[in-house]
Amino acid sequence: MAKFITIPSSATGYATATIPNGGPIQVPVDLVFDVKQTSATVTVIYFDNRLGAGQKTLTLTHNTTAGAGTVPVVANAIYASLNTAPGGTFVPVSMPNVGGTPIVVASALYA
């Protein structure tokens, strides 16, 4: 199993206490507890209790997946990467296309 998944992101700018640097977001696989797509534009990664306050969730805001109906295509893509066992350290998340438009994460917020 990989140690990290890498989520592509179009976010830019410097990191703050709650927002990672612009560009790809690396997520430690062994700390992920659950992944839920809560709307057509929001997916939340929940971390286990080993992380401190302010690091229990990572909320990803992305362009809409409305063309996929209620199928949680971003959450499914993240789960697919979590379950990949390539023997490498990093596994990229293959973000889905919906209606010919690739899904792109525009912002990420730790809470």
Side-chain angles (χ1 to χ4, degrees), residues 94-109:
S94 296
M95 296 300 273
N97 284 310
V98 175
T101 302
I103 301 300
V104 178
V105 173
S107 70
L109 177 66

Side-chain angles (χ1 to χ4, degrees), residues 49-61:
N49 287 327
R50 289 180 281 172
L51 294 175
Q55 298 177 333
K56 301 293 186 188
T57 62
L58 175 59
T59 301
L60 305 172
T61 303

Side-chain angles (χ1 to χ4, degrees), residues 35 37 43 70-83 93-94 96:
V35 180
Q37 188 166 337
T43 300
T70 58
V71 176
V73 293
V74 174
N76 290 348
I78 293 170
Y79 270 123
S81 292
L82 288 170
N83 292 316
V93 173
S94 296

Side-chain angles (χ1 to χ4, degrees), residues 12-90:
T12 59
Y14 294 119
T16 66
T18 57
I19 302 172
N21 281 325
I25 302 160
Q26 293 179 355
V27 177
V29 169
D30 64 334
L31 297 178
V32 175
F33 176 73
D34 199 4
V35 180
K36 298 286 186 211
Q37 188 166 337
T38 59
S39 74
T41 59
V42 176
T43 300
V44 181
I45 299 173
Y46 296 90
F47 297 106
D48 70 12
N49 287 327
R50 289 180 281 172
L51 294 175
Q55 298 177 333
K56 301 293 186 188
T57 62
L58 175 59
T59 301
L60 305 172
T61 303
H62 45 76
N63 54 319
T64 187
T65 61
T70 58
V71 176
V73 293
V74 174
N76 290 348
I78 293 170
Y79 270 123
S81 292
L82 288 170
N83 292 316
T84 301
T89 303
F90 296 95

